[in-house]
Every structure is written in C-alpha cells, then in structure tokens.
C-alpha cells in the first residue's frame, strides 16, 4: 500500500455530511429526549432543574440548551460511584473509570445502545482519516478501565480493519509487531509515539520504510510543532482525536484528512463554548471552555458537561465536505494552567517555544518549586547527542536560544536545563508535563 494515499473524499453516506438544517433537527429531537431521560432518572439533574424552575418541556429549540444547568466533574465525584446513572444495573453492560490525580476515580457506564453509538463514532473517526477495511490498526492505547483501548478497538473492528490489540507499553514488542504484522496505522498518545520513534532509531528500524501511514493520536494536549516533528521523523500522517470518559471516551471529535482541527460528531455530542468566568455562551470562533451534551447516552446522560478543555468552534466550511463543526486543537485545559509571577502559563506554550529551537528533542518537563515564598520554574528539555557533544560555546547558544524562545512566547524568563537524550521519564499513556514540587 502506498505510504500516503490521496485525500479520500467520502461519499455522502454518513451523518458527517448532513445538511445543517437536517443535522439541527436531529439534534433537537435527541436533545429533548435526553433531557427528559435525565429528568426522569437522575435525581441530581431533576433537583437542579426544579431549582431553576425548569421542566424538559422548556427545551423547545437548540438555543434553549443554554437555560439548562451545568454538570461538573465534582458532580461525578460527589455521586461516586453510580449516582448519575439513568439506567438500572441490569441494562448496563460496561463500566469504565478515569483515575484523577486526587482521590476516587470517576465512573462511567454504557448500555448496549451506548456502545453502539461509541462504535459508530470511532468507526467514523477512523474513516475520516482515510482508514478502511484492509488496514492493519495497531492499537497501543491502554486496554482496561481507560476508554482508549476498547473504544478504538471496537471502532476499528466495525470499520472492517484488522485490529492488533497490543495495548500500551513494551516498546520493543510494539516495534517488532509493527514491522512483522505490517501495521498501516497506530493509535496511541503522541508522547508515546515519540518514544517509539526514539526506540526505533536505537534499534536501527526505519519507520519510514514500514507500511505505517496513519497515526491516530490523542488523550493529551499536543501542538502543531509536535505534529510536524512526528510526521517528519516517521513519515506517517498524524491525526488528532479528541474525547473524554465522561462523554463517551475517544471519538467525540476527529480530524479528517485536511488536518485542520477535529470535527465534532455533532449528531451525538452537542457542543457549546462558554466564557470561563461568566459561564455565558460565546459565538463560533471565540475561545472558551468546551461544554458538551450527550445527545444519545442512555446509561449516563451528561447535560452541559464542563470539560475544562479550552478551544473554539469553527463553522467554516471544511474542504472534506463534512458539515460537522470543528474544534480548534485543544492545547490546554483551564486546570492545566500555572501562574508564575502573576503570569498565566500553559505547558503547550512551552512546547511550542522549545520545538522552535534547533537541536531540541520533543521531550520536556516543567518543574515548579518555591524558594523563599517565590515560585520558580525550571524547564528541562532533552537535546540531541550532537548538541551535547558539541563545544561549551555551542551548548550555551542553544540554551540562550531556548530561554529567548520561551520568553518571547510567555513573557517570562525561565531557567532552562538541557538534559541528555532519554533522561526524562517516558509514559506509555498520557505524558506528565508539569511536576509541581511547591509545598502548599
Ligand atoms: O483520554 C479519551 C481518549 C482516549 C481520547 C484516546 C483520545 C484518544 P480521559 O482519560 O477521560 O479520556 O481524558 C480526557 O484528555 O478532557 C482532554 O483534557 C484530554 N484530551 C483527550 N484528547 C485530547 C486531544 C481520554 N486530542 C481528557 N488533545 C480531555 C488534547 C486531549 N487533549
């Protein structure tokens, strides 16, 4: 198979290409049904609706969604484990959980019908980036309570592709399988794929010579610079897939072959962008927090779930012909942000700054400490062996360029420490970018 097949403009056979009026009619019908379901079966939602003096009949148009109360991550924690379920246990066929950084995980549930929706959006995700029956998909997302593994698995099978359910980790085996089984696509976090690129180099395997042509990367923020780096080093086309457990898992939104931001599968997930502080809805094109309503989730309907992910919606026409709106790549979460000397900083800004400098590798960590009540930040970044082996003068130049690049993008002077390749801990799943050692 050719490494980069031409852009595949799909025939108009999926809801991806529905005329907008038809899509909105479908959304309204589903929204009304799901609000009624949540009202009838979820005590917390009914209580909030009653407090706001609302009933499901108040949802007469799509715009009426803005009247409804928000759902927050804390609601899932407070009702742990099963408090937001709208189906009896006998109808629930799968549970997943996401482990937060603190305390109890959040638990999510699926009925058979919900799994059907998930399979459908994942199948459409794979099709959107040009995969089809005959492709060999190496699924290196973790199988288990994390939604990545099983979510991608069933979507790939529904597409008719061959799935390799290898799960995350064991990098050498990943490479052996990739080579011997002729994988044409890989699913994993972008940071783990970088690790695979490094390991392949170590082992003398040229990824560019393998049949691998598509990467389905998500579950963590990554930048355009990272995409360019990955594509340059591996020869595949890297696509951004977005999703979260609370809504369904992977497959809430996926890039098409135009690579211009993930299309939201709006027939199942109704998106809004709100102002972070006021909670007021923002028009398309403006950046704010993504709020999602599941239009078909039976077991655990999520009404106006505040994702904490920051993005903007685009209703501009995409060349692929899909009528589904796109989200701007999610580079940051409102709770990812750290404040240094009064300035808000996001890890993605640092990633962009680092990757602009020749000689750096895309592996970095941001360490926050506190000295005499002052917050300090040190950016640790791996540099190439060539840089490390070079003269002191050359090393200093790279360090200076790094400091300058960070300062230009964040407005802050940060300490930069260059470290040897392979010193920063690799993750098989989501990379941990910020190490906060400040004692609160
Ligand atoms: O990470 C689901 C997933 C699996 C998505 C595989 C894509 C691929 P959670 O563990 O619940 O679910 O984490 C969800 O991860 O709110 C975002 O902050 C972040 N995230 C997910 N995809 C992307 C992406 C899965 N493409 C949280 N870009 C979300 C940026 C992402 N952040």
């Amino acid at each position: 198979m050719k490494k980069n097949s031409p852009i595949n403009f799909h025939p108009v056979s999926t809801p991806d290409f529905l005329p907008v009026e038809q899509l909105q009619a479908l959304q309204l019908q589903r929204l009304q049904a799901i609000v009624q379901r949540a009202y009838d079966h979820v005590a917390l939602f009914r209580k909030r609706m009653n407090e706001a003096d609302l009933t499901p009949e108040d949802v007469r148009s799509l715009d009426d969604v803005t009247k409804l109360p928000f759902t927050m991550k804390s609601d899932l924690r407070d009702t742990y484990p099963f408090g937001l379920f709208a189906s009896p246990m006998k109808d629930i066929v799968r549970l997943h959980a996401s482990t937060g950084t603190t305390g109890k995980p959040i638990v999510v549930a699926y009925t058979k019908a919900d799994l059907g929706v998930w399979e459908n959006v994942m199948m459409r995700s794979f099709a959107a980036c040009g995969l089809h029956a005959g492709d060999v998909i190496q699924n290196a997302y973790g199988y288990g309570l994390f939604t990545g593994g099983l979510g991608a698995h069933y979507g790939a099978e529904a597409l008719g592709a061959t799935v390799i359910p290898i799960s995350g980790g064991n990098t050498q085996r990943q490479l052996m399988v990739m080579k011997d089984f002729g994988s044409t696509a890989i699913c994993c976090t972008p940071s783990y794929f970088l690790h695979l690129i490094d390991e392949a180099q170590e082992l003398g395997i040229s990824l560019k010579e393998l049949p691998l042509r598509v990467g389905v990367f998500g579950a963590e923020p990554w930048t355009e610079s990272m995409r360019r780096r990955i594509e340059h080093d591996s020869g595949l086309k890297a696509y951004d897939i977005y999703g979260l457990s609370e809504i369904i898992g992977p497959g809430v939104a996926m890039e098409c072959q135009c690579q211009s931001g993930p299309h939201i599968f709006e027939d199942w997930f109704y998106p809004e962008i709100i102002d972070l502080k006021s909670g007021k809805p923002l028009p398309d094109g403006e950046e704010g927090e993504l709020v999602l309503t599941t239009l078909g989730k039976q077991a655990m309907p999520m009404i106006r779930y505040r994702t904490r992910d920051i993005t903007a919606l685009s209703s501009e026409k995409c060349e692929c012909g899909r009528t589904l709106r796109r989200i701007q790549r999610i580079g940051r979460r409102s709770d990812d942000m750290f404040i240094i000397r009064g300035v808000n900083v996001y890890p993605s800004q640092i990633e962009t700054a680092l990757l602009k400098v020749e000689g750096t590798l895309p592996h970095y960590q941001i360490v926050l400490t506190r000295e005499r009540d002052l917050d300090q930040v040190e950016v640790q970044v791996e540099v190439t062996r060539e840089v490390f082996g070079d003269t002191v003068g050359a090393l200093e130049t790279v360090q200076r360029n790094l400091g300058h690049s960070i300062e230009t993008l964040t407005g802050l002077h940060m300490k930069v420490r260059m470290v040897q390749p392979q010193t920063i801990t690799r993750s098989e799943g989501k990379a941990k970018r910020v190490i906060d050692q400040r004692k609160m």
Side-chain angles (χ1 to χ4, degrees):
M1 185 156 319
K2 274 217 321 269
K3 195 114 187 150
N4 288 317
S5 45
I7 291 194
N8 175 3
F9 293 105
H10 285 269
V12 187
S13 60
T14 81
D16 296 12
F17 301 92
L18 273 184
V20 173
E21 310 72 56
Q22 273 182 44
L23 176 66
Q24 289 178 343
L26 181 66
Q27 286 176 316
L28 178 60
Q29 191 194 341
R30 287 182 174 164
L31 176 69
Q32 287 170 329
I34 209 70
V35 168
Q36 184 70 55
R37 182 176 181 86
Y39 188 82
D40 291 345
H41 299 288
V42 183
L44 180 71
F45 182 68
R46 192 168 48 251
K47 178 170 161 271
R48 293 214 175 125
M49 288 286 278
N50 291 341
E51 280 164 6
D53 210 9
L54 289 168
T55 66
E57 286 71 45
D58 290 311
V59 181
R60 291 188 202 93
S61 71
L62 281 178
D63 286 341
D64 288 336
V65 79
T66 60
K67 295 181 188 161
L68 302 173
F70 290 120
T71 308
M72 324 278 275
K73 194 168 207 136
S74 53
D75 295 330
L76 282 107
R77 291 226 175 84
D78 296 346
T79 55
Y80 174 86
F82 302 155
L84 295 185
F85 291 6
S87 298
M89 266 333 245
K90 71 172 177 47
D91 294 340
I92 288 172
V93 296
R94 176 98 64 82
L95 297 175
H96 279 280
S98 117
T99 38
T101 39
T102 49
K104 293 260 167 60
I106 54 144
V107 182
V108 295
Y110 306 77
T111 62
K112 268 217 165 81
D114 296 338
L115 289 182
V117 169
W118 195 9
E119 183 181 282
N120 173 267
V121 289
M122 275 311 296
M123 179 183 74
R124 287 157 66 191
S125 298
F126 287 130
C129 66
L131 295 171
H132 38 69
D135 270 302
V136 179
I137 303 182
Q138 182 162 340
N139 185 14
Y141 282 122
Y143 281 64
L145 287 177
F146 177 54
T147 52
L150 287 177
H153 183 100
Y154 287 109
E157 278 190 2
L159 186 74
T162 308
V163 193
I164 308 175
I166 191 163
S167 195
N170 201 336
T171 308
Q172 296 205 355
R173 192 178 54 168
Q174 297 275 357
L175 291 167
M176 181 192 78
V177 162
M178 190 181 284
K179 204 161 140 246
D180 296 349
F181 297 7
S183 308
T184 56
I186 176 129
C187 306
C188 61
T189 56
S191 57
Y192 186 59
F193 190 66
L194 285 171
H195 183 42
L196 281 170
I197 292 178
D198 285 353
E199 195 76 20
Q201 255 160 16
E202 290 285 314
L203 297 171
I205 299 172
S206 165
L207 293 182
K208 290 189 179 156
E209 279 159 32
L210 300 184
L212 194 68
R213 61 170 221 284
V214 167
V216 180
F217 300 132
E220 65 184 9
W222 53 311
T223 56
E224 259 326 288
S225 332
M226 186 73 95
R227 170 165 22 217
R228 280 195 296 275
R229 190 68 76 103
I230 287 176
E231 292 190 340
H232 175 267
D233 290 353
S234 68
L236 55 61
K237 283 255 169 241
Y239 295 96
D240 192 11
I241 185 162
Y242 169 75
L244 61 164
S245 320
E246 297 88 318
I247 296 302
I248 204 148
V252 172
M254 173 66 187
E255 273 188 328
C256 66
Q257 290 182 296
C258 302
Q259 291 182 306
S260 51
H263 288 274
I264 297 211
F265 293 109
E266 288 188 84
D267 50 324
W268 292 116
F269 315 111
Y270 185 78
E272 297 169 74
I273 299 290
I274 59 161
D275 180 81
L276 279 176
K277 287 211 182 86
S278 68
K280 293 264 175 327
L282 293 172
D284 285 1
E286 279 189 40
E287 199 177 75
E289 180 179 339
L290 177 66
V291 171
L292 291 165
T293 297
T294 55
L295 296 177
K297 198 106 175 303
Q298 304 293 300
M300 199 172 148
M302 281 284 122
I303 310 289
R304 301 195 85 203
Y305 184 70
R306 291 191 63 160
T307 64
R308 299 284 164 203
D309 291 321
I310 299 171
T311 183
L313 275 172
S314 164
S315 40
E316 265 173 46
K317 230 171 144 202
C318 181
E319 253 188 85
C320 73
R322 280 180 180 70
T323 45
L324 306 169
R325 281 178 290 175
R326 279 167 292 155
I327 45 171
Q328 173 187 298
R329 171 193 281 289
I330 293 180
R332 53 207 178 102
R333 288 178 56 80
S334 59
D335 46 11
D336 242 12
M337 187 186 81
F338 54 95
I339 303 178
I340 294 292
R341 286 162 243 146
V343 180
N344 299 352
V345 187
Y346 290 94
S348 58
Q349 290 173 291
I350 303 214
E351 180 171 307
T352 306
L354 295 178
L355 293 182
K356 278 188 191 311
V357 178
E358 188 88 27
T360 54
L361 295 171
H363 302 286
Y364 66 96
Q365 230 162 28
I366 301 156
V367 183
L368 305 177
T369 50
R370 185 166 291 153
E371 283 168 31
R372 280 183 255 108
D373 286 336
L374 268 186
D375 286 337
Q376 307 289 336
V377 49
E378 180 179 90
V379 180
Q380 301 176 348
V381 56
E382 288 183 11
V383 290
T384 58
R385 285 192 212 294
E386 292 74 51
V387 169
F388 240 94
D390 218 325
T391 59
V392 176
L395 260 175
E396 280 173 359
T397 309
V398 176
Q399 185 159 31
R400 218 179 15 255
N401 290 344
L402 283 169
H404 182 69
S405 182
I406 292 174
E407 197 164 343
T408 313
L409 264 136
T410 63
L412 284 171
H413 179 74
M414 291 184 198
K415 196 164 147 198
V416 179
R417 189 146 73 87
M418 295 182 297
V419 297
Q420 305 226 23
Q422 301 295 337
T423 8
I424 289 171
T425 316
R426 305 292 194 257
S427 160
E428 291 165 6
K430 300 178 192 247
K432 189 162 171 52
R433 299 296 188 196
V434 182
I435 312 287
D436 195 346
Q437 296 175 341
R438 294 175 294 186
K439 294 209 173 49
M440 290 303 155

